[in-house]
Amino acid sequence: MKIGIDMMGGDFAPKEAVKALNLYLSEVTTPANLFLIGDQEQIVPLLKEEGHDPERFAIVHAPQVIEMNEHPTKALKEKQQSSIAVGFHLLASGKIDAFISAGNTGAMLVGTMYSIKAIDGVLRPTISTIIPKLNGKTGLLLDVGINADCKPENLQQFGVLGSLYAQHILGIPNPRVALVNIGEEEGKGNLLAQAAYPLLKETPSINFVGNVEGRDIFIDKADVMVCEGFTGNVILKMAESIYEIAKERQISDDYLHRFNFESYGGVPVLGVSRPVIIGHGISNATAFKNMFLLAEKMFNTQLLDKIKESFQTASPE
């Protein structure tokens, strides 16, 4: 497998991305071929500093950087030699199998949509986040930000995408899919929720268990929780704040520690034809390492092929 890494993306790039290489190479027996995309003059000295032979990696020189505050579409158009633009070119041309970045999130999403596009049948790709459950299990919430406004059909597809991800990546057999709502009863919620409920209920490829409320998010009522990106992003940011508050107050608790984003690395864009993983801007070496491992797992489990098969089966002849 060939993984492309945006070495210049993130607040602590490229140093933390280089440090992640040691963590990754010490953890796996058969590492992927790593393509380090970024400013060669900065990357090579750091590799040597960390004890790496630069010849071990494929270093792809990309002298430009898309900064966090730049307009995504404009920056991609004007900075064709940026690490993100070059990474997507390599991904679209098949020279790498997956692309990882902790850089400008908007540029990553725009690059994804314009370079590799959605899998046939997928109306809108989505991003998800891991939700730690109080009983030690793990859940999935989607969408968490790229689809602030949705149609009922989008939520139905998020249920299918999330179910496949939970099954093949999180290892949850027959994952329970639920709709995030303001009440448990069928018929509750706004017009979107009311219209999405019967679509999810009638989808044969998922195990739909009904509605879950906000108080159910962190307990074991569902494995995959579906909502539009506005609600999902609010929940995500609140969950992130739980860990930050605990850390600030020096609270040591095994459950609260599971809200540390570094443990999960980044979030994949689900519904596109190749693995694209977006990391937090403050990603450190551990977060980068976990993104490498997630890309490998998506590739080795053939998740994207399973998604393609699912949507081909669901599409009318």
Side-chain angles (χ1 to χ4, degrees):
M1 181 187 183
K2 296 171 286 187
I3 300 176
I5 306 158
D6 172 13
M7 301 298 289
M8 312 308 294
D11 295 347
F12 307 118
K15 188 169 185 177
E16 289 298 314
V18 171
K19 288 170 66 177
L21 299 175
N22 279 332
L23 298 179
Y24 170 72
L25 293 172
S26 65
E27 190 167 317
V28 299
T29 54
T30 308
N33 294 320
L34 301 179
F35 284 61
L36 312 185
I37 306 163
D39 185 352
Q40 190 168 337
E41 293 183 4
Q42 294 186 56
I43 295 170
V44 170
L46 287 172
L47 287 172
K48 292 178 179 178
E49 188 178 303
E50 290 292 324
H52 294 295
D53 178 1
E55 297 295 324
R56 179 174 186 174
F57 308 100
I59 301 175
V60 182
H61 184 55
Q64 296 177 311
V65 177
I66 296 178
E67 303 294 343
M68 292 295 195
N69 60 349
E70 291 190 74
H71 187 279
T73 306
K74 183 180 179 184
L76 278 170
K77 184 177 180 180
E78 294 179 352
K79 292 185 172 181
Q80 292 290 306
Q81 293 303 309
S82 65
S83 50
I84 290 180
V86 171
F88 277 116
H89 173 73
L90 294 173
L91 188 65
S93 61
K95 293 178 181 176
I96 57 176
D97 300 306
F99 182 44
I100 291 167
S101 176
N104 185 305
T105 300
M108 285 295 292
L109 294 171
V110 171
T112 301
M113 295 309 300
Y114 282 94
S115 63
I116 57 175
K117 302 183 179 179
I119 289 171
D120 286 345
V122 174
L123 299 173
R124 287 190 189 180
T126 178
I127 56 174
S128 62
T129 189
I130 295 294
I131 296 292
K133 299 289 188 176
L134 190 57
N135 64 354
K137 293 183 179 180
T138 298
L140 192 72
L141 177 73
L142 67 166
D143 182 271
V144 293
I146 65 172
N147 297 290
D149 295 301
C150 289
K151 295 179 179 179
E153 294 80 8
N154 301 136
L155 298 190
Q156 178 193 31
Q157 291 196 346
F158 297 166
V160 175
L161 291 167
S163 182
L164 289 166
Y165 187 85
Q167 182 180 350
H168 298 290
I169 302 300
L170 302 181
I172 303 172
N174 196 27
R176 298 160 296 168
V177 179
L179 177 65
V180 178
N181 210 330
I182 59 171
E184 293 183 353
E185 303 84 4
E186 185 173 354
K188 286 280 189 175
N190 57 16
L191 293 175
L192 174 62
Q194 290 176 26
Y197 189 105
L199 292 181
L200 288 161
K201 186 177 181 180
E202 295 162 10
T203 303
S205 61
I206 65 172
N207 176 21
F208 182 61
V209 295
N211 292 324
V212 290
E213 300 178 87
R215 62 185 176 185
D216 303 322
I217 298 293
F218 302 118
I219 62 175
D220 193 27
K221 279 203 171 182
D223 303 300
V224 177
M225 294 159 286
V226 175
C227 59
E228 90 295 338
F230 186 94
T231 299
N233 192 263
V234 171
I235 295 172
L236 170 62
K237 297 299 172 58
M238 182 185 70
E240 288 180 348
S241 75
I242 291 173
Y243 174 71
E244 293 301 325
I245 291 170
K247 186 177 178 182
E248 185 175 326
R249 295 177 67 87
Q250 298 182 331
I251 297 172
S252 180
D253 181 273
D254 289 342
Y255 174 63
L256 294 180
H257 185 70
R258 293 181 64 208
F259 285 85
N260 183 354
F261 75 91
E262 295 169 6
S263 302
Y264 311 108
V267 297
V269 182
L270 297 177
V272 294
S273 57
R274 295 179 186 272
V276 174
I277 298 172
I278 303 174
H280 202 295
I282 56 173
S283 292
N284 65 7
T286 300
F288 273 105
K289 181 261 295 184
N290 285 326
M291 284 190 273
F292 303 165
L293 295 175
L294 176 57
E296 274 196 345
K297 194 167 188 179
M298 290 179 69
F299 184 82
N300 292 335
T301 59
Q302 299 180 318
L303 174 64
L304 301 187
D305 289 336
K306 292 176 173 66
I307 291 174
K308 290 174 185 176
E309 290 169 11
S310 177
F311 279 86
Q312 285 172 356
T313 303
S315 300
E317 294 295 334

